[in-house]
Amino acid sequence: MPSRRALLGVVGASVVAGLTACTPAEGAESTTTALPPSAAVGSPEAPAATAATVTPTPTPTLAATKRIRRSFIPDYQLPPIVGGLAPVITKIPTKHPIVFLTIDDGNIKTPESVKLMAEYDYPASLFLTRNTIADNPAFFNAFKAQGSLVENHTVTHNINMVRQWGYQQQLDDIVGMQEYAVQQYGRKPTLFRPPGGAYSNAMRQAVAAAGLKAVVTWEAKANAGKMDYQVGNSLRPGDIVLMHFRAEFAADLAAFRAAQLAAGLEVVLLEDFLGVA
């Protein structure tokens, strides 16, 4: 298999800007907004849908479902850290027909999710929470083997951290996940997703101080077996899509796949396109 950067056709390329959030297994994120250093807004919860039952048995035609990924030369550069503040990315401005899949938390761990991601040959950015995955961190190695990467979603998933905690507590929680990810997966995360979706300048400063390159949110999400859009009613090139490891994983992934195919977009790993893999 060629390297991720070879698949993109660019070595050391950089690219882009945005935001996001996530909630416990029974909840769903809302649209997030930037806040002043002393303020923050959490996200309301939405009821989860019942997932369609999918057998975890590997399909004998698995290889036939894989696609040859096209190479895309990044056409947008990731903004640098300025004034000690990490940039916020909510969508990638690009002319390429691509979309980025991100999956959060890690609450529900099933063989079905591993099988489906392999069957569809989807690479994803996995924003994992230490306290959520600590019962079985090795589970996510299967996604790594498929080409996905583990990113930072804090130790505690405190959705009120920007309201309740100062800079140092936020930094400690973020650094704790950085260290855990290196220990478990052998790579230091480069991207951060704030719990609940709220962020502030203090959080952006903590993210940069922890060695991360950007705060990442979303423009669309697969939730309760359907797609929700902040803009328009379909996926657009450069959209960052939010999902979760929940009981309805199969239904959510099916909703995303239908929207992705209808829009004629290729699923590309965000870290590769940004040059931070």
Side-chain angles (χ1 to χ4, degrees), residues 23-35:
T23 51
E26 67 275 10
E29 283 79 4
S30 65
T31 301
T32 56
T33 54
L35 302 165

Side-chain angles (χ1 to χ4, degrees), residues 82-108:
V82 177
L85 303 178
V88 178
I89 302 172
T90 182
K91 177 183 173 64
I92 303 298
T94 179
K95 295 180 180 179
H96 294 306
I98 58 178
V99 66
F100 306 98
L101 179 62
T102 67
I103 312 176
D104 284 14
D105 299 345
N107 298 72
I108 305 298

Side-chain angles (χ1 to χ4, degrees), residues 233-256:
N233 56 9
S234 63
L235 288 176
R236 302 171 301 158
D239 275 349
I240 296 174
V241 178
L242 171 67
M243 260 189 62
H244 292 84
F245 285 102
R246 292 178 176 154
E248 62 269 28
F249 186 96
D252 289 351
L253 194 63
F256 168 73

Side-chain angles (χ1 to χ4, degrees), residues 64-127:
T65 66
K66 290 184 178 293
R67 298 167 296 163
I68 298 175
R69 294 190 185 125
R70 290 172 286 173
S71 296
F72 297 100
I73 298 176
D75 54 359
Y76 195 85
Q77 185 173 2
L78 177 66
I81 293 170
V82 177
L85 303 178
V88 178
I89 302 172
T90 182
K91 177 183 173 64
I92 303 298
T94 179
K95 295 180 180 179
H96 294 306
I98 58 178
V99 66
F100 306 98
L101 179 62
T102 67
I103 312 176
D104 284 14
D105 299 345
N107 298 72
I108 305 298
K109 309 167 186 66
T110 64
E112 152 186 81
S113 60
V114 176
K115 182 186 81 73
L116 288 173
M117 290 290 286
E119 182 176 346
Y120 298 152
D121 195 22
Y122 285 160
S125 305
L126 312 181
F127 288 92

Side-chain angles (χ1 to χ4, degrees), residues 115-266:
K115 182 186 81 73
L116 288 173
M117 290 290 286
E119 182 176 346
Y120 298 152
D121 195 22
Y122 285 160
S125 305
L126 312 181
F127 288 92
L128 303 181
T129 299
R130 191 192 74 180
N131 290 356
T132 300
I133 67 173
D135 60 329
N136 187 12
F139 170 79
F140 298 94
N141 285 325
F143 298 100
K144 278 186 56 188
Q146 296 169 5
S148 295
L149 289 178
V150 172
E151 299 296 355
N152 192 318
H153 200 34
T154 74
V155 168
T156 64
H157 201 282
N158 178 3
I159 62 173
N160 296 311
M161 63 188 298
V162 291
R163 289 186 183 278
Q164 298 174 346
W165 294 350
Y167 166 79
Q168 189 60 51
Q169 284 180 292
Q170 293 184 48
L171 177 61
D172 291 345
D173 207 28
I174 295 169
V175 168
M177 183 58 199
Q178 288 290 87
E179 295 173 346
Y180 187 76
V182 171
Q183 175 190 2
Q184 295 294 329
Y185 307 112
R187 172 184 172 270
K188 187 177 181 179
T190 57
L191 303 176
F192 175 78
R193 176 159 285 164
Y199 67 91
S200 66
N201 281 348
M203 176 178 282
R204 293 174 62 194
Q205 183 182 5
V207 168
L212 292 144
K213 303 298 184 183
V215 175
V216 177
T217 55
W218 77 96
E219 189 104 310
K221 63 182 176 182
N223 179 66
K226 62 183 180 64
M227 292 297 297
D228 295 326
Y229 303 98
Q230 294 190 37
V231 178
N233 56 9
S234 63
L235 288 176
R236 302 171 301 158
D239 275 349
I240 296 174
V241 178
L242 171 67
M243 260 189 62
H244 292 84
F245 285 102
R246 292 178 176 154
E248 62 269 28
F249 186 96
D252 289 351
L253 194 63
F256 168 73
R257 181 167 176 78
Q260 171 244 327
L261 294 176
L265 302 175
E266 181 86 5

